[in-house]
Amino acid sequence: MEYYKKDSGILLAVDCIIFGFNGESLEVLLIKRDFEPERNKWSLMGGFVQPNESPEESASRVLKKLTGLENVYMEQCSVFGEPKREPNDRVISICYFALIDTQQYKHILSDDYEAKWFPLQQHPTLIFDHEQMIASAQHRLRMKAALYPILFELLPEKFTIPQIAALYEGVYNIELDKRNFSRKLLSSGLIIKLQEKDKENSKKGAFYFKLNTAIYKEKIMSFLRYLPSWGLET
Amino acid sequence: MEYYKKDSGILLAVDCIIFGFNGESLEVLLIKRDFEPERNKWSLMGGFVQPNESPEESASRVLKKLTGLENVYMEQCSVFGEPKREPNDRVISICYFALIDTQQYKHILSDDYEAKWFPLQQHPTLIFDHEQMIASAQHRLRMKAALYPILFELLPEKFTIPQIAALYEGVYNIELDKRNFSRKLLSSGLIIKLQEKDKENSKKGAFYFKLNTAIYKEKIMSFLRYLPSWGLET
DNA sequence: TCAAAAGTGTTGGCATTACACCCATGC
DNA sequence: GCATGGGTGTAATGCCAACACTTTTGA
């Protein structure tokens, strides 16, 4: 039988794995920690859950403090709670990943932190178990993105198909046939062609598209439809 | 800037969503709570995270206390932490779901608890947010099972194809064409035919199979292979 | 002999793949 | 005019849903 007991001595934190896409590659936002222990080492942005807020609110608060952004796509991923994961205190941390469009918001990073975007594959060594946190968030991002088109959260208002392709290539670390990818995407009804072209990245220029939000929401919401196919490829 | 602070007043718990399969339908194991608040109401089995254990260990401990089982497939799902989710204390709960084969272990439920298996769709009203916990666990189970063949964890050593089909039908709440399902499964290489037949459930009898553990582990482990198809159906 | 469940054969259609080829443009 | 990346056409492939049909057996 189990009794309630006060003051477990356990502290509850959140850490944010902030994924960004700059139009070319997938990045993660890290900060240089400005307090002990491990001061001046790179880490994820985090904070403690306050008595009057839910963990989701904590994560949003932490994200806003660093980036100024609100209403960002965030999702709970795993909890890290090994007794010795931090040296001085018993801290259990709930991880959230966030998806943001780097281009659009690069400027509003808070000056209070030394924050920097790193390519997902080549970031500096991180404190504690923060590397595992990123790995687990990436895994969950892949799982989720395989079933729902959430990666569109990482794109700006208007985007080109080659950009989306690059995004998927970054997330899954693969190479896609852009020609087939493009067709598949168009036939999904998820995107709407605009008149304008992006001429920055090629001579011919690629048409901009915007998200068909009605279809997007429908697909994001259709929780119940997936059926097993068991990754039968190799 | 964020400082460490002791004694947040937050208690950390785990709750276990224990899924079972009896060969016919999918069930969830609930207990009648024997302490206040909400004594004598149905709830998930839970417990508090102790200072010297990880949340995973807590969940395993809790599961073992109720069922006697160790080395059961368990997986973290979401965290529930709304400030007012329990009336008296601020308790944040990490949910784990477990998959077990009901048939094999029905007898070893601990007598210390009034525990009972309920069909997943028709369980009694539960305390606090435990209904949501089950819903979220089921969602995660579906997601996971769409990408990996984890549902085999719910099956006994030897099983028939109609049983697996019933299991998938229960998890996704759909009807399958057993004929096509059977073929798909056979061609996956995941199962090995035995000589023996199960004659309990049909006149003709269905062959027993066992899991091809080598291929199973490979498929469970292949984290990186899934690719988007965006649920383009409907 | 009939009903009921297990399982096989066969089909057409659809999605994915691979790749040839055309397009638009800046240099 | 030619290299470059964007994009379309098209054929081959493989998978999968649909369903007719066979098998096995208990009652």
Side-chain angles (χ1 to χ4, degrees):
Chain A
M1 164 133 187
E2 195 72 46
Y3 297 94
Y4 282 78
K5 77 199 238 313
K6 304 278 181 192
D7 191 16
S8 59
I10 297 178
L11 296 170
L12 197 68
V14 295
D15 281 300
C16 295
I17 297 94
I18 304 167
F19 290 118
F21 183 64
N22 56 23
E24 286 189 353
S25 65
L26 195 61
E27 302 184 317
V28 61
L29 185 59
L30 302 174
I31 62 167
K32 211 170 228 174
R33 195 166 148 111
D34 64 351
F35 56 100
E36 295 297 344
E38 304 281 359
R39 176 190 289 269
N40 282 329
K41 298 205 177 156
W42 290 100
S43 88
L44 296 167
M45 178 78 182
F48 288 93
V49 177
Q50 300 302 309
N52 58 341
E53 68 181 359
S54 69
E56 282 72 19
E57 287 164 352
S58 309
S60 299
R61 174 174 52 75
V62 163
L63 181 76
K64 185 180 177 189
K65 201 159 54 170
L66 178 60
T67 65
L69 297 172
E70 291 181 277
N71 300 318
V72 165
Y73 186 93
M74 289 192 89
E75 189 169 318
Q76 208 183 82
C77 35
S78 48
V79 176
F80 285 75
E82 288 300 317
K84 296 287 178 214
R85 57 178 290 278
E86 296 200 16
N88 301 334
D89 292 280
R90 177 76 203 274
V91 182
I92 291 185
S93 177
I94 309 172
C95 292
Y96 288 80
F97 74 79
L99 302 180
I100 71 182
D101 162 24
T102 318
Q103 300 283 48
Q104 209 162 346
Y105 301 117
K106 206 155 213 162
H107 49 295
I108 58 174
L109 286 181
S110 164
D111 290 334
D112 301 346
Y113 301 91
E114 195 175 332
K116 191 167 171 335
W117 288 102
F118 288 93
L120 195 47
Q121 320 292 344
Q122 323 145 233
H123 57 255
T125 308
L126 302 180
I127 61 167
F128 309 148
D129 45 12
H130 286 200
E131 314 250 3
Q132 285 163 258
M133 289 178 172
I134 292 181
S136 118
Q138 192 183 5
H139 179 226
R140 187 172 173 97
L141 177 61
R142 283 177 171 174
M143 236 174 94
K144 199 71 188 284
L147 298 169
Y148 310 109
I150 54 165
L151 293 187
F152 285 86
E153 301 286 345
L154 281 155
L155 293 167
E157 283 286 303
K158 56 183 190 182
F159 47 79
T160 67
I161 293 184
Q163 274 172 18
I164 312 179
L167 175 53
Y168 273 88
E169 292 185 329
V171 168
Y172 290 99
N173 203 25
I174 46 162
E175 269 210 54
L176 292 171
D177 183 316
K178 319 295 183 298
R179 298 163 291 186
N180 289 331
F181 182 82
S182 153
R183 227 181 329 230
K184 181 171 175 178
L185 198 48
L186 283 169
S187 71
S188 75
L190 268 169
I191 58 176
I192 298 167
K193 194 176 198 163
L194 304 178
Q195 289 314 307
E196 201 182 347
K197 268 190 171 182
D198 161 38
K199 315 271 282 185
E200 304 253 309
N201 296 297
S202 75
K203 293 161 186 169
K204 180 174 177 184
F207 277 107
Y208 279 115
F209 290 80
K210 67 175 183 181
L211 191 56
N212 183 332
T213 47
I215 293 193
Y216 176 69
K217 277 180 190 157
E218 189 185 294
K219 289 189 192 298
I220 282 287
M221 285 305 172
S222 72
F223 281 153
L224 309 173
R225 282 254 140 240
Y226 24 81
L227 269 178
S229 68
W230 298 316
L232 299 183
E233 355 66 51
T234 324
Chain B
M1 165 135 186
E2 196 70 47
Y3 297 94
Y4 282 79
K5 77 196 239 313
K6 304 281 181 190
D7 192 16
S8 58
I10 297 179
L11 296 169
L12 197 68
V14 295
D15 281 300
C16 295
I17 298 95
I18 305 169
F19 291 118
F21 183 64
N22 57 21
E24 286 188 353
S25 65
L26 195 62
E27 301 184 315
V28 62
L29 186 60
L30 301 174
I31 63 169
K32 210 169 229 176
R33 196 166 147 111
D34 64 349
F35 57 100
E36 295 297 342
E38 304 281 358
R39 176 190 290 269
N40 283 328
K41 298 208 177 154
W42 291 100
S43 87
L44 296 167
M45 178 76 182
F48 288 93
V49 178
Q50 300 302 309
N52 58 342
E53 66 182 2
S54 69
E56 282 73 18
E57 287 162 354
S58 309
S60 298
R61 174 173 54 75
V62 163
L63 181 76
K64 184 180 177 191
K65 201 158 54 169
L66 179 60
T67 66
L69 297 172
E70 293 181 274
N71 301 318
V72 165
Y73 186 94
M74 290 193 89
E75 187 170 318
Q76 208 182 83
C77 35
S78 47
V79 176
F80 286 76
E82 288 299 317
K84 294 287 178 213
R85 57 178 289 278
E86 295 200 18
N88 301 334
D89 293 279
R90 176 76 203 276
V91 183
I92 291 186
S93 177
I94 309 173
C95 292
Y96 287 81
F97 74 79
L99 302 180
I100 71 181
D101 163 23
T102 318
Q103 301 282 44
Q104 209 162 348
Y105 302 117
K106 205 155 213 161
H107 48 295
I108 58 174
L109 285 182
S110 165
D111 290 333
D112 301 346
Y113 301 91
E114 197 176 330
K116 192 167 171 334
W117 288 102
F118 289 93
L120 195 47
Q121 321 291 344
Q122 323 145 234
H123 58 254
T125 307
L126 303 179
I127 61 167
F128 309 148
D129 44 13
H130 287 200
E131 313 250 4
Q132 286 164 259
M133 288 179 174
I134 292 181
S136 118
Q138 191 182 7
H139 179 227
R140 187 170 173 99
L141 177 62
R142 283 176 170 175
M143 234 175 95
K144 198 72 189 284
L147 298 169
Y148 310 111
I150 54 165
L151 293 187
F152 285 87
E153 302 285 345
L154 280 157
L155 294 168
E157 283 287 302
K158 55 182 192 184
F159 46 80
T160 67
I161 293 183
Q163 273 172 18
I164 313 179
L167 175 53
Y168 274 88
E169 291 185 331
V171 168
Y172 290 100
N173 202 25
I174 47 163
E175 269 210 55
L176 291 171
D177 183 315
K178 320 296 183 297
R179 300 163 290 187
N180 291 329
F181 183 82
S182 155
R183 228 183 327 234
K184 182 170 174 176
L185 198 47
L186 284 167
S187 72
S188 74
L190 268 169
I191 59 177
I192 299 168
K193 194 177 198 164
L194 304 177
Q195 288 314 307
E196 201 181 348
K197 268 189 171 183
D198 162 38
K199 314 271 283 186
E200 305 253 310
N201 297 297
S202 77
K203 294 161 185 170
K204 180 174 176 183
F207 277 107
Y208 279 115
F209 290 80
K210 66 175 183 181
L211 191 56
N212 184 332
T213 46
I215 292 193
Y216 176 69
K217 277 180 190 155
E218 189 185 295
K219 290 190 191 298
I220 282 288
M221 286 304 172
S222 72
F223 281 152
L224 310 174
R225 284 250 141 241
Y226 25 81
L227 269 179
S229 68
W230 299 315
L232 299 183
E233 355 68 50
T234 322

